[in-house]
Amino acid sequence: MAVLFLWKAAAFVQKHRTGLLAVSCAGLFGANLSYHVCPEQTFKLWYQCWTRGQPAELSEKLRSLFSDVLQDVGVKSTNCYQPFAAFGFHPVSAGIPWLPAGSLVGLPANFNSTAEDKQGIVNRVIMINGKEVDWESKEGLTLKEALIFSPEAQKFAIAREIVYLQSNSPVVYAAVLPVCLAGTCLSGVAIKQLLGLYSGPMVFRCIYNITLAAVGLIGYFLAYDAVSQALDYRSDRQVAIISKDYAKGGVEFYNKVLSRNRTLRTLLGKQGEKMYAPSGNLFPRYGFRLKHAPYTSRRDLIINILRVPQA
């Protein structure tokens, strides 16, 4: 009975493979883009910072800073970008500016901090390996210093998220999987016809299909990581060329991110050695995969931009 069902299913797929491929690609594209279409109902609920059981309000200082960055980036429709208070220590973003829901950019509490006033850092409890961070210890002082950014570094980090959304990067990300799926299926059919596998034994076709699926999956991972790194570099480059202050802010931002990661490597012990390299870069989580460009290379890219004589 099961063999008969599989046979009928295979015949159905063979007969309607073009339509099924189109529906599958459209479904994958929509699924990957879903939380960018409705960021208020999905993304914001996940990243919203809460205090005393209520959503945290964004300070006027950060709202003003966000407005200044929008103006520097050259955003015309400022209503398409809305800030909110997010947890964590870096800005986050989601959405597509030209859709009705617009885009959201989450700003962390430590962006309220300055060298003189460290509120937003020391008034927060951070647990590492089940222990609260002692802000007065050597590692605590280093971590605290790494979490305090100058206004230029803050502007760079915020502008990078805005440029990322402005250049339709979420759409590019969402298109990688359906494009790889379509390419794998179409090339697989063409190679089958070229090799005459359709008229050959079924066992050969099964082995070929399994091999093709494995190659397609590896190709998707490599393509996704390559696109991700290219978008990282593009966003950094576009923000760094706004002005020399933004470029200097970018160098400071990545230097402090690297410093923070080195400190976390020490605080986390063996787990930290698996997550962070001695330089402060992230180790790949899944073997050969490197989803984001290394922080050192992103910093060096901005340093090279600063070295180029201004026209």
Side-chain angles (χ1 to χ4, degrees):
M1 190 70 179
V3 174
L4 180 61
F5 173 77
L6 291 174
W7 184 265
K8 289 183 177 180
F12 178 82
V13 171
Q14 184 70 20
K15 183 179 180 180
H16 303 283
R17 62 189 178 191
T18 302
L20 290 173
L21 178 60
V23 171
S24 299
C25 290
L28 289 172
F29 181 76
N32 289 336
L33 209 60
S34 58
Y35 80 94
H36 290 286
V37 175
C38 303
E40 190 79 26
Q41 291 75 28
T42 55
F43 176 80
K44 187 175 181 180
L45 294 179
W46 181 259
Y47 283 98
Q48 175 70 59
C49 178
W50 292 74
T51 176
R52 297 179 181 178
Q54 298 294 327
E57 293 292 332
L58 203 62
S59 66
E60 288 301 321
K61 171 189 173 183
L62 290 184
R63 289 188 180 276
S64 176
L65 184 69
F66 187 78
S67 298
D68 292 341
V69 173
L70 287 177
Q71 184 177 358
D72 293 339
V73 174
V75 174
K76 296 180 181 179
S77 301
T78 56
N79 293 332
C80 297
Y81 300 86
Q82 296 297 326
F84 72 96
F87 72 85
F89 297 107
H90 296 310
V92 292
S93 62
I96 302 174
W98 43 267
L99 288 181
S103 301
L104 295 176
V105 179
L107 307 183
N110 62 303
F111 273 31
N112 283 311
S113 305
T114 62
E116 295 77 23
D117 182 9
K118 296 179 177 58
Q119 294 301 312
I121 299 178
V122 295
N123 61 339
R124 302 173 67 181
V125 176
I126 298 180
M127 305 294 292
I128 298 180
N129 280 345
K131 298 180 180 180
E132 183 178 345
V133 173
D134 181 8
W135 294 114
E136 300 305 319
S137 65
K138 179 181 177 181
E139 291 79 12
L141 292 171
T142 304
L143 181 60
K144 182 165 50 177
E145 180 65 26
L147 295 176
I148 299 175
F149 299 97
S150 68
E152 291 76 19
Q154 293 175 1
K155 285 185 174 182
F156 172 87
I158 297 172
R160 194 186 172 283
E161 298 300 323
I162 295 173
V163 168
Y164 168 85
L165 298 173
Q166 196 177 36
S167 57
N168 294 315
S169 295
V171 178
V172 177
Y173 273 123
V176 175
L177 180 54
V179 167
C180 289
L181 176 62
T184 301
C185 292
L186 294 176
S187 61
V189 171
I191 295 174
K192 274 185 183 179
Q193 293 176 345
L194 182 65
L195 298 178
L197 293 178
Y198 283 109
S199 59
M202 182 177 291
V203 64
F204 287 165
R205 293 201 299 272
C206 291
I207 294 174
Y208 172 81
N209 289 335
I210 294 173
T211 304
L212 181 67
V215 172
L217 185 62
I218 294 174
Y220 161 68
F221 289 149
L222 295 176
Y224 183 90
D225 293 349
V227 169
S228 176
Q229 293 183 36
L231 293 176
D232 285 339
Y233 287 130
R234 183 179 71 174
S235 298
D236 289 340
R237 186 182 298 107
Q238 289 180 343
V239 174
I241 63 176
I242 292 177
S243 70
K244 185 174 289 188
D245 288 339
Y246 272 88
K248 291 180 178 179
V251 175
E252 177 194 335
F253 177 77
Y254 285 124
N255 276 332
K256 293 212 168 185
V257 169
L258 291 167
S259 174
R260 181 205 64 186
N261 290 349
R262 289 193 296 267
T263 305
L264 291 177
R265 174 184 165 91
T266 301
L267 292 173
L268 289 170
K270 292 184 178 180
Q271 183 182 358
E273 293 177 359
K274 295 179 181 179
M275 295 174 60
Y276 303 105
S279 63
N281 286 319
L282 296 174
F283 278 134
R285 182 177 296 180
Y286 303 109
F288 65 92
R289 297 199 62 186
L290 187 60
K291 291 186 177 181
H292 295 285
Y295 293 124
T296 49
S297 61
R298 293 160 76 172
R299 177 199 59 193
D300 294 342
L301 169 69
I302 302 173
I303 291 175
N304 290 333
I305 292 175
L306 280 170
R307 289 173 178 171
V308 175
Q310 298 297 317

